[in-house]
Amino acid sequence: MKDEATGSIYYNIVKVIQHEKNISLKEACLEDLRLHNEDLKEFVKLQSSLPDFGIWQDAVVNWVHYMSMVLSGWKNISTKLGRYNAMEFPEAKELKERLNQI
């Protein structure tokens, strides 16, 4: 809602799901969460059952491990960004009011 209030272009998978499936925002959020959990479950399963890559085995195992660290790190960083923290980022109503004054 904060992004919508600015009237600018933004990219959000929830809005894509909402539009493509013609569902409510709440349903789209739940679908996004379901897809995330499904993909995470598949990633963990694949990570724990990698096939034999021969001489490249250690490199592949490390690459997959580092990929999981990057994803975990991004999650940790993004939850601390001001735009997602109500205490640091104005509410949608306030944004809209500010934009109307410009």
Side-chain angles (χ1 to χ4, degrees), residues 12-18 21 23-39:
N12 185 311
I13 189 67
V14 172
K15 296 304 285 183
V16 171
I17 293 169
Q18 183 182 12
K21 295 186 177 239
I23 57 179
S24 72
L25 180 60
K26 181 178 179 179
E27 291 171 314
C29 288
L30 291 172
E31 176 63 7
D32 180 45
L33 184 59
R34 184 193 69 76
L35 290 169
H36 167 271
N37 290 342
E38 187 178 285
D39 289 345

Side-chain angles (χ1 to χ4, degrees), residues 72-101:
S72 178
W74 175 248
K75 176 188 168 206
N76 187 34
I77 290 169
S78 64
T79 59
K80 293 178 175 85
L81 292 175
R83 69 175 279 137
Y84 300 115
N85 183 335
M87 299 303 290
E88 296 179 30
F89 197 86
E91 292 296 320
K93 182 180 177 185
E94 183 183 345
L95 276 175
K96 199 169 207 167
E97 289 171 1
R98 285 187 194 177
L99 289 171
N100 287 336
Q101 293 173 359

Side-chain angles (χ1 to χ4, degrees), residues 32-92:
D32 180 45
L33 184 59
R34 184 193 69 76
L35 290 169
H36 167 271
N37 290 342
E38 187 178 285
D39 289 345
L40 180 59
K41 183 178 177 181
E42 181 179 6
F43 179 85
V44 170
K45 180 181 176 184
L46 291 171
Q47 185 180 25
S48 66
S49 60
L50 291 172
D52 183 7
F53 287 92
I55 64 169
W56 298 102
Q57 187 67 22
D58 288 343
V60 171
V61 168
N62 285 336
W63 188 84
V64 173
H65 174 70
Y66 293 138
M67 185 190 321
S68 71
M69 289 175 52
V70 167
L71 295 173
S72 178
W74 175 248
K75 176 188 168 206
N76 187 34
I77 290 169
S78 64
T79 59
K80 293 178 175 85
L81 292 175
R83 69 175 279 137
Y84 300 115
N85 183 335
M87 299 303 290
E88 296 179 30
F89 197 86
E91 292 296 320

